[in-house]
């Protein structure tokens, strides 16, 4: 996956994941509230743009494989 087209969003998404992964993974927070906050933070960071770019690159690659 070439992250260059979404470099800023990719970095922001990774920062959000780093911020939340340990507290969610260890279960030291209430998942009912923290997961919603985590999802909102991912949205604000640009996760949808990263996913769309990843899908675009995959579709482009797949078209060359057929």
């Amino acid at each position: 996956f070439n992250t260059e087209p979404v470099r800023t969003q990719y970095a922001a998404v990774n920062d959000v994941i780093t911020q939340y992964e340990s507290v969610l993974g260890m279960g030291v927070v209430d998942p009912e509230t923290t997961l919603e906050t985590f999802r909102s933070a991912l949205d604000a960071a640009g996760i949808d743009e990263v996913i769309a770019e990843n899908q675009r690159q995959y579709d482009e690659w797949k078209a060359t494989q057929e």
Side-chain angles (χ1 to χ4, degrees):
F1 173 54
N2 177 9
T3 61
E4 189 60 31
V6 288
R7 175 180 38 183
T8 303
Q9 296 93 331
Y10 189 79
V13 166
N14 277 324
D15 288 345
V16 169
I17 292 170
T18 299
Q19 178 184 353
Y20 284 91
E21 76 180 333
S22 62
V23 294
L24 284 169
M26 287 189 262
V28 296
V29 293
D30 178 14
E32 294 219 9
T33 57
T34 307
L35 280 175
E36 187 56 39
T37 305
F38 176 53
R39 288 183 189 115
S40 294
L42 286 173
D43 287 340
I47 189 76
D48 291 333
E49 291 91 349
V50 173
I51 291 169
E53 179 61 23
N54 195 315
Q55 185 66 53
R56 185 195 67 74
Q57 289 181 30
Y58 172 75
D59 292 343
E60 188 177 278
W61 170 83
K62 188 174 180 189
T64 66
Q65 303 303 306
E66 296 174 350

